Amino acid sequence: MSKLIDKFSAQVPGLRQKAKDIVAKHGSEKISDVTVAQVFGGMRGIKGLICDTSFVSPEKGLIVRGLPILELTERTPEEIFWLLLTGDLPSEGESHDLDKELASRSEVPAYVFEILNALPAECHPMAMLNTCILALENESVFRIRYFEGMKKQDYWEAALEDGLNLIAKIPTIAAAVYRIRYDKGAPLASKPELGWGGNFAHMLGMDVDQDEFAKFINLYLNLHADHEGGNVSAFSCATVASALSDPYYSVSAGLNGLAGPLHGLANQECLRFVLGIRERYDGIPTDEQLVEYAWEVLNSGQVIPGYGHAVLRCPDPRFVGFHNFAEKYLVDEPLVTIVDKIYRLVPDILREHGKAKSPFPNVDAITGSMLYHYGLKEYRYYTVMFAVSRTLGLISQLVLSRAMGMPIIRPKSVTSDWLVSQFEEPVKV
Ligand code: HAX
């Protein structure tokens, strides 16, 4: 057994007991009131989910297991996965063991590549990735064991088994999506000795300084892994998994949500926004030009991509992490200069516009421009990279839920007429 499975296995009885104890002790206490505006407002702010992997503080941003994300930027994504799942950072030996574990599970069945080659040439890369994940459902240990009569207390074990297999394989699949979709040549042979993120960077096959690119990809995979439990991808995955659909179905559901333009697809929109500015002003715009452009976008009823957030009320520390990297490695990149200018000018414009609750950049405001710098110019692919990373968080949350014995998710909906009837007399006819 791997060190990760050993460690988590030892934690499971405590997790289950803790959940039981909390309900026994505080089960009838109230933590949230729900207003009608919240019901019509995407349930914003309603506290109704447990997520122990990470927490998003409106003022500080992402906190992973108690550690602010900016303290974790030098870690590998595999180490972040260990932290998300177990609550501790791995020792060097544990980290090495997890790398070996993932390498041993990384071979992707040939039918996955056949599927990729058979899909229409213009298929969206996210649809390609999700098609492969659903095809891999064929391999689900959870599904087989469930129908063999697996006990509830063992669900986590089968879920982690599937989760580790999916995490191990997803970089190879995602890199193949890139190479096949964009005619970059045959998928490259995997080099698991480079580590999970380093191998992904290698398999993309970019013609750039591989050491620097691998550092960037590791940072990318590290910073996008988790963002508590209520975002669309995490919540969708958790809901589907709560029906005991196996991790392949569940992660695919989460990643289908990630493919939306208000969630993971925003990074491609952000790059289009920055490229649009560069094209219109034939390079870096003046401050006046940028202000004019931003107002034009807002007055036409569109959003400024990469700005605003459902929870955050500060500059996203993940944006700051990428910005710090860009200051070190991408000093002469004009797109980053435009990103900087937007960062300097747009928050005041959004404040004056008066709609967005947060005028600050989110993680997507900069990543596309950095990927573009490294030659990854096919922006429809960007969400696939986000998906590779987010799989770490989705799997961690899902395994923890099964370990804690969480039930099927089933909130109550009401009709709008029922709602009105709570406050108004029925109209007599
Ligand atoms: N530009 C212009 N208007 C904005 C805005 C922006 N960047 N952000 C929010 N608003 C508007 C909203 O559209 C909304 O307008 P309406 O009342 O007319 O509908 C109003 O401000 C209030 O919205 P909010 O409460 O501040 O924000 P929400 O929680 O509803 O939405 C979003 C959060 C991130 C979806 C939103 O800020 C947005 O659309 N931003 C641009 C797209 C983006 O950057 N998405 C990436 C988010 C990060 C992420 O999840 N990545 O995966």
Side-chain angles (χ1 to χ4, degrees):
M1 223 202 267
S2 78
K3 289 187 195 299
L4 178 68
I5 300 175
D6 269 351
K7 173 153 181 143
F8 189 71
S9 177
Q11 294 180 336
V12 169
L15 288 170
R16 197 165 294 152
Q17 195 55 47
K18 183 177 172 191
K20 273 194 189 141
D21 289 349
I22 293 174
V23 177
K25 210 165 160 196
H26 304 291
S28 57
E29 292 184 38
K30 253 169 64 172
I31 54 163
S32 214
D33 284 320
V34 180
T35 65
V36 173
Q38 285 175 305
V39 174
F40 277 89
M43 300 195 280
R44 206 74 84 257
I46 299 173
K47 298 182 187 75
L49 297 165
I50 289 291
C51 173
D52 283 333
T53 53
S54 65
F55 173 78
V56 179
S57 147
E59 295 78 27
K60 293 187 187 142
L62 177 60
I63 314 278
V64 180
R65 293 288 197 167
L67 300 170
I69 189 67
L70 284 177
E71 287 180 21
L72 296 167
T73 50
E74 299 299 319
R75 296 287 176 169
T76 66
E78 305 92 297
E79 289 174 320
I80 299 293
F81 175 58
W82 185 294
L83 174 65
L84 287 166
L85 187 66
T86 69
D88 295 319
L89 280 163
S91 66
E92 211 175 301
E94 288 171 332
S95 187
H96 184 61
D97 191 77
L98 178 58
D99 277 339
K100 273 200 335 215
E101 174 81 30
L102 292 176
S104 72
R105 295 168 181 261
S106 63
E107 195 172 329
V108 174
Y111 63 78
V112 171
F113 298 102
E114 284 163 23
I115 290 167
L116 282 179
N117 280 309
L119 288 170
E122 61 282 2
C123 214
H124 194 285
M126 276 302 279
M128 295 173 82
L129 178 75
N130 270 317
T131 302
C132 294
I133 294 173
L134 283 177
L136 270 180
E137 194 278 334
N138 183 47
E139 320 274 323
S140 174
V141 171
F142 187 95
R143 177 175 41 75
I144 293 169
R145 287 190 56 192
Y146 184 82
F147 287 107
E148 285 171 356
M150 169 171 58
K151 291 197 192 100
K152 184 173 180 184
Q153 70 207 44
D154 297 334
Y155 289 170
W156 72 266
E157 206 180 299
L160 182 53
E161 188 64 21
D162 278 354
L164 286 168
N165 284 332
L166 180 54
I167 288 170
K169 291 174 186 14
I170 202 167
T172 306
I173 300 169
V177 167
Y178 179 65
R179 297 191 61 79
I180 291 169
R181 175 65 178 74
Y182 297 108
D183 287 330
K184 301 283 177 185
L188 297 177
S190 165
K191 288 188 184 170
E193 67 276 13
L194 297 174
W196 190 74
N199 191 21
F200 179 44
H202 147 71
M203 287 185 289
L204 287 168
M206 309 310 297
D207 186 15
V208 287
D209 175 336
Q210 282 301 313
D211 278 353
E212 185 184 315
F213 186 56
K215 273 195 194 100
F216 171 67
I217 290 294
N218 269 317
L219 181 70
Y220 190 100
L221 298 174
N222 168 332
L223 294 184
H224 285 86
D226 203 48
H227 216 226
E228 68 171 42
N231 63 75
V232 168
S233 50
F235 188 34
S236 308
C237 177
T239 306
V240 173
S242 79
L244 301 184
S245 301
D246 64 57
Y248 294 92
Y249 282 131
S250 311
V251 169
S252 168
L255 298 183
N256 285 326
L258 195 73
L262 295 189
H263 192 17
L265 208 78
N267 51 15
Q268 83 171 42
E269 293 307 308
C270 292
L271 176 64
R272 266 157 41 103
F273 180 70
V274 176
L275 290 177
I277 293 173
R278 189 181 68 170
E279 194 181 313
R280 166 130 164 212
Y281 299 106
D282 201 17
I284 298 164
T286 62
D287 287 7
E288 292 70 31
Q289 287 169 328
L290 189 62
V291 170
E292 169 197 71
Y293 190 85
W295 276 114
E296 236 177 79
V297 170
L298 291 171
N299 289 336
S300 68
Q302 296 170 59
V303 295
I304 306 276
Y307 281 73
H309 200 272
V311 177
L312 290 174
R313 296 295 176 259
C314 63
D316 188 335
R318 299 171 301 168
F319 170 87
V320 176
F322 282 117
H323 197 262
N324 293 344
F325 186 96
E327 277 185 334
K328 188 163 172 195
Y329 293 102
L330 276 65
V331 234
D332 298 324
E333 172 54 61
L335 291 180
V336 172
T337 310
I338 298 177
V339 167
D340 269 345
K341 238 179 216 269
I342 299 173
Y343 182 30
R344 191 159 50 73
L345 298 170
V346 158
D348 278 346
I349 298 173
L350 281 174
R351 281 189 196 97
E352 193 181 332
H353 183 243
K355 269 189 164 185
K357 293 192 187 68
S358 165
F360 299 111
N362 59 58
V363 65
D364 294 321
I366 187 166
T367 49
S369 298
M370 296 176 80
L371 286 164
Y372 199 88
H373 166 85
Y374 286 112
L376 226 155
K377 299 188 171 173
E378 299 83 359
Y379 51 74
R380 279 168 30 120
Y381 181 73
Y382 293 173
T383 315
V384 172
M385 309 190 60
F386 192 159
V388 172
S389 169
R390 184 50 60 94
T391 300
L392 302 174
L394 299 182
I395 293 289
S396 310
Q397 293 192 22
L398 180 164
V399 172
L400 276 160
S401 293
R402 297 293 75 76
M404 290 161 83
M406 299 298 262
I408 189 164
I409 295 175
R410 202 337 184 157
K412 178 80 184 103
S413 64
V414 294
T415 66
S416 41
D417 286 342
W418 177 90
L419 210 149
V420 173
S421 75
Q422 303 306 296
F423 310 106
E424 295 174 20
E425 290 295 319
V427 181
K428 291 205 174 77
V429 282

